[in-house]
Amino acid sequence: MDRFRAGKIITLLLILVLILPIGIPLIMAAMQTQNQLENIKNQAIISTYNLAFNIQPVIPTESETTNLLDITAKADDFRVVKTKVLESGDNLIHGFIYYDGYLWASTRTSPCRILKIDPDTLDYERIILDAGLDDGEDITAAAGYIWVILYTSPSKIIRVDPNTLEWEVAVQFKSDELSYGGSLEYAFGYLWAGGDYGKIARIDLDDVTYQVYDYSAVVGDSQFHALASGGDYLWGSCPLYSWWLGYYADIVVRINPNNPTDYISLYISTPMSDDIAYLGGYLYIGSEESPSYVYKISDSLTYSSAKASDTVCYGIFTHHGYIYGACVGTPGKVIELDSDLNIKATYELPTGFNDANEIAFDTRGNMYVTCWESPAKIVVGVFSQRMIRPVEGKITSPYGWRNNPFTGVQEFHKGIDIDRSADLKPVKTPVNGRVERLGFNDPLAGNWVVIRHESVIKRDGQIKGPIFTKYFHLGEIYVTVGQELNQGDLIGTVGQTGLVTGPHLHFEVWEGDSHVDPCLYVDYPKTGIIVTAHSPVDIILRDPDGLIVSKDSIEIVEIASYLESDLGERIWITDRKIGDYLINVIPHSDASPTDTYTLEVTADNITIVLADGVQVADIPDQPYIIRSTETGIIPITPSPPPQWNPIPLILLSLYPTGIPLYYFALISIVSIAIIAGIALYLKKFRGFSAVPR
């Protein structure tokens, strides 16, 4: 062998001696570190999901939004469920109220039309007044009748029987008394009517006599566009007009209803809208200009204001402590503000429904918005609510499969049982709704109630409706069929009627014809813990206090239960304790070593999989451990303590994003080998040569 070949062999041997002791551990460490990185990434994904649980909204599927015309982008708790374009001639709704189960509207047409509208279908009946009875300006309900004031000179007031739709001119003012009527308000035992030339009439509905009061000293010849009552006063709003400026300012008048000659006024340098409202000690008025401001005026006539919209506000309305402004636009919109004039939401109407001008609310909290168009249009908006708990207490039997406490036969529990500790606890309406059905002394359900809810927000953010809630085993029932209920209204009391083991409420939630877990809607404290195993194994659970729950215990009333079914084994513990839960898996006698099983633990709506597809032959000798803490549950897997290894840390500091670490290590080793070989060849073995000197 010549010296040159010998030099190459020696070079390779030296490279192997230098590289292998470093390279092999380096590659192994890199692969281990890569796995650690993947685990960290997966844990980050899991942590992010858990953090987002019940916060991130889930987009409804197409089938779930079949009847959903529009969900506004700015208000997830509101949706448009129905729209209506009225028939030709039914134009320009200017008065709009909800009364006795129907919507009522008056039109600014010649002659005036009065509409009685079914709020569920928006179908309607129509009254067309006689010629000369033109321009319905405002509408209200009082003394069992519907009243409409006409924008005529002199003005007239129409009275309508809401049942028969028979009507008459109930009040005919004289030309020097009240002309061009603009507003109505029933308050303090009288019907009040505002008109031009700064005049207001107080009408006694017992004999339909009236007296007219003149406020032209402060408002000139302006019209009382709007009237409202609040506190101890009647309030009037008069926009000021001149032919060269148009509407340029407003006078607000506060009137003593017991002595209407006792009044004071406030000048505001902006014109106001046709509808005003009083709430919580303040009068709220919107400016009929662009941009629009909402004014909050105290009883002492001090005020503040805030911008509400870039477009004109046609009217201000109140409902359940909030302020609503009907605003023009293409499409129209509704602005919701709190009592401090902070904008809470903007509800945009569907495309083609322009210039919102009147708003009414029914007893279910649904909002009806009219559009100032010819023909007029109506939009029905449903405010979705999140459920509150119908009764306080803990869940003593969850939704899902269980053993019947009387027969021991497995059955599917379609609801949840809440609180067996005491009867006569109040049961409240979890969300606005209407009583559909109820019954007494059913052999199984006892005293029961079913309530329909138009629109409800699930805990994951989805909006569902209509849904139905059911209440079984009630003691007392306080509601009647057809009754409208607001969130928090009393339904009855917890009882022990029907087939029960003790006093409790059985509560169900149905989405159409399908029952679902009520905990998808109601945030009950999840103090329990559920262990589920799928065949062919049984499970034995030991809690932190040493309580053992197994197949032999079957049912430990109010503490734990064991369910054996074709779907698997399940242990339910009603109260989750702090500490370690030990779970042993026992194979069935006929199980094959190659059969596989799964094991899951659920608490606080989080499920942890302890075993998935594990063979019976690999059942561990030691129990599975779940550690229960104040904030949740975590799996405990015994493992040797980690040993410090600097190589993974070095690799992590050099790790290039997107390339597996072992690829990086392998490339590094090859590069080192090439460099070392070249260096050794050039320096160490340069003297070896096949050519004699």
Side-chain angles (χ1 to χ4, degrees):
M1 180 184 299
D2 58 39
R3 284 180 294 174
F4 177 74
R5 186 173 299 173
K8 289 195 293 183
I9 294 173
I10 293 171
T11 299
L12 292 174
L13 290 174
L14 286 173
I15 290 172
L16 290 175
V17 169
L18 290 172
I19 298 302
L20 289 179
I22 300 174
I24 292 175
L26 188 64
I27 293 174
M28 294 180 65
M31 295 179 69
Q32 177 185 357
T33 306
Q34 179 70 29
N35 291 334
Q36 291 174 354
L37 284 176
E38 293 297 325
N39 289 336
I40 290 170
K41 180 180 73 173
N42 292 335
Q43 288 300 318
I45 292 173
I46 293 172
S47 299
T48 303
Y49 173 79
N50 290 342
L51 181 64
F53 192 81
N54 290 333
I55 298 175
Q56 300 298 325
V58 177
I59 299 174
T61 64
E62 183 177 354
S63 62
E64 292 169 338
T65 59
T66 301
N67 298 321
L68 182 61
L69 298 180
D70 181 60
I71 296 181
T72 64
K74 298 182 180 179
D76 292 335
D77 62 342
F78 174 84
R79 64 173 179 169
V80 173
V81 295
K82 194 176 293 294
T83 60
K84 180 84 169 184
V85 178
L86 303 191
E87 296 177 14
S88 177
D90 297 329
N91 305 333
L92 303 176
I93 289 176
H94 203 273
F96 193 54
I97 61 169
Y98 178 84
Y99 170 71
D100 197 25
Y102 289 90
L103 297 163
W104 296 84
S106 58
T107 65
R108 192 83 174 269
T109 56
S110 299
C112 170
R113 301 181 178 203
I114 300 171
L115 311 178
K116 179 182 180 181
I117 306 167
D118 185 324
D120 294 326
T121 64
L122 297 187
D123 295 333
Y124 61 94
E125 300 176 77
R126 179 194 303 111
I127 299 172
I128 301 178
L129 302 185
D130 296 340
L133 300 177
D134 303 333
D135 297 328
E137 189 75 359
D138 200 5
I139 189 170
T140 193
Y145 291 93
I146 303 296
W147 304 81
V148 177
I149 191 167
L150 303 182
Y151 187 73
T152 56
S153 181
S155 189
K156 305 173 181 66
I157 297 178
I158 307 300
R159 180 173 62 188
V160 180
D161 185 314
N163 299 311
T164 65
L165 297 188
E166 295 179 354
W167 64 273
E168 63 178 328
V169 177
V171 180
Q172 171 73 65
F173 294 105
K174 297 178 181 178
S175 57
D176 61 343
E177 292 177 335
L178 194 80
S179 295
Y180 301 109
S183 51
L184 287 176
E185 175 76 1
Y186 182 75
F188 310 109
Y190 294 95
L191 180 65
W192 304 80
D196 258 6
Y197 308 108
K199 293 184 179 180
I200 295 177
R202 185 178 70 177
I203 306 162
D204 187 334
L205 295 184
D206 291 336
D207 54 10
V208 198
T209 58
Y210 60 86
Q211 186 172 353
V212 177
Y213 297 89
D214 189 340
Y215 302 94
S216 60
V218 290
V219 303
D221 59 359
S222 297
Q223 181 201 51
F224 276 99
H225 270 208
L227 295 175
S229 57
D232 296 324
Y233 304 103
L234 179 74
W235 300 81
S237 171
C238 288
L240 302 182
Y241 179 84
S242 70
W243 66 270
W244 65 91
L245 293 177
Y247 288 107
Y248 65 92
D250 198 273
I251 299 291
V252 176
V253 183
R254 192 200 72 185
I255 301 169
N256 179 354
N258 299 313
N259 178 16
T261 60
D262 176 17
Y263 63 89
I264 58 175
S265 62
L266 170 68
Y267 176 91
I268 301 177
S269 58
T270 184
M272 296 301 175
S273 55
D274 285 351
D275 295 281
I276 63 179
Y278 191 91
L279 176 68
Y282 293 90
L283 181 72
Y284 293 87
I285 307 180
S287 63
E288 197 165 305
E289 62 178 1
S290 180
S292 180
Y293 287 76
V294 174
Y295 288 76
K296 177 181 179 180
I297 304 172
S298 71
D299 287 353
S300 60
L301 298 189
T302 60
Y303 68 89
S304 59
S305 65
K307 181 180 176 181
S309 173
D310 290 327
T311 61
V312 169
C313 177
Y314 271 164
I316 291 294
F317 309 84
T318 61
H319 179 68
H320 282 182
Y322 286 92
I323 317 300
Y324 296 88
C327 299
V328 305
T330 307
K333 61 184 178 181
V334 175
I335 308 298
E336 179 184 302
L337 305 95
D338 64 19
S339 58
D340 293 323
L341 304 184
N342 299 306
I343 295 177
K344 308 301 292 183
T346 299
Y347 308 119
E348 190 172 277
L349 303 187
T351 301
F353 288 77
N354 306 324
D355 297 341
N357 75 311
E358 297 286 334
I359 301 175
F361 296 89
D362 66 14
T363 55
R364 295 171 288 180
N366 299 330
M367 181 168 67
Y368 302 83
V369 184
T370 66
C371 297
W372 185 247
E373 298 190 61
S374 298
K377 300 175 182 178
I378 301 176
V379 175
V380 183
V382 176
F383 286 94
S384 305
Q385 294 176 305
R386 296 184 185 272
M387 282 192 181
I388 62 172
R389 300 170 191 166
V391 66
E392 292 298 330
K394 66 182 181 181
I395 298 176
T396 55
S397 185
Y399 174 86
W401 288 98
R402 71 171 186 177
N403 291 321
N404 186 295
F406 295 97
T407 65
V409 176
Q410 72 173 47
E411 64 179 7
F412 197 93
H413 194 217
K414 297 177 182 178
I416 57 176
D417 291 343
I418 309 163
D419 189 49
R420 297 180 184 175
S421 60
D423 57 4
L424 299 181
K425 279 190 173 183
V427 178
K428 299 179 180 180
T429 307
V431 66
N432 294 351
R434 175 192 293 169
V435 179
E436 287 282 300
R437 303 187 304 277
L438 60 81
F440 296 89
N441 301 318
D442 183 270
L444 299 178
N447 299 338
W448 56 273
V449 173
V450 177
I451 300 177
R452 174 191 174 108
H453 313 275
E454 295 302 324
S455 190
V456 183
I457 305 175
K458 297 178 71 170
R459 294 179 64 197
D460 64 6
Q462 288 191 73
I463 298 178
K464 291 285 189 177
I467 70 165
F468 299 86
T469 54
K470 300 182 179 182
Y471 311 81
F472 294 171
H473 313 308
L474 297 171
E476 302 289 336
I477 293 179
Y478 300 143
V479 296
T480 58
V481 173
Q483 182 176 344
E484 302 284 355
L485 299 174
N486 291 321
Q487 188 177 66
D489 287 350
L490 290 182
I491 299 170
T493 60
V494 172
Q496 46 185 328
T497 57
L499 188 62
V500 296
T501 58
H504 72 280
L505 173 69
H506 174 85
F507 176 59
E508 296 181 9
V509 175
W510 289 68
E511 295 176 351
D513 296 331
S514 302
H515 53 79
V516 298
D517 187 349
C519 290
L520 296 174
Y521 286 88
V522 187
D523 184 19
Y524 268 102
K526 288 290 191 177
T527 58
I529 187 168
I530 300 173
V531 181
T532 305
H534 298 286
S535 295
V537 296
D538 295 327
I539 45 178
I540 299 175
L541 176 70
R542 180 190 297 270
D543 79 0
D545 293 336
L547 173 69
I548 296 177
V549 182
S550 67
K551 189 175 182 177
D552 296 332
S553 66
I554 303 298
E555 184 86 16
I556 304 173
V557 176
E558 296 188 14
I559 299 176
S561 63
Y562 189 103
L563 172 69
E564 182 179 19
S565 72
D566 294 337
L567 300 177
E569 319 293 306
R570 189 188 73 183
I571 292 176
W572 159 263
I573 302 288
T574 57
D575 286 318
R576 178 165 62 84
K577 302 173 183 177
I578 304 302
D580 289 346
Y581 286 85
L582 280 61
I583 306 166
N584 287 97
V585 177
I586 310 298
H588 292 171
S589 58
D590 58 352
S592 167
T594 58
D595 288 342
T596 59
Y597 70 94
T598 62
L599 182 65
E600 302 172 348
V601 179
T602 300
D604 296 329
N605 285 331
I606 301 299
T607 297
I608 295 176
V609 179
L610 298 178
D612 185 11
V614 177
Q615 292 188 354
V616 169
D618 296 328
I619 292 177
D621 296 331
Q622 299 299 319
Y624 292 93
I625 301 175
I626 283 289
R627 179 156 297 165
S628 174
T629 69
E630 293 287 349
T631 58
I633 57 174
I634 54 175
I636 304 298
T637 303
S639 59
Q643 297 181 353
W644 184 80
N645 187 348
I647 295 178
L649 298 178
I650 295 171
L651 289 174
L652 281 173
S653 66
L654 300 174
Y655 177 53
T657 303
I659 302 176
L661 282 177
Y662 44 85
Y663 288 172
F664 178 69
L666 186 60
I667 293 170
S668 301
I669 293 167
V670 172
S671 301
I672 293 171
I674 293 172
I675 294 170
I678 294 171
L680 288 171
Y681 173 74
L682 293 176
K683 295 183 178 181
K684 298 292 183 181
F685 302 102
R686 189 177 183 83
F688 290 95
S689 175
V691 180
R693 295 185 178 182

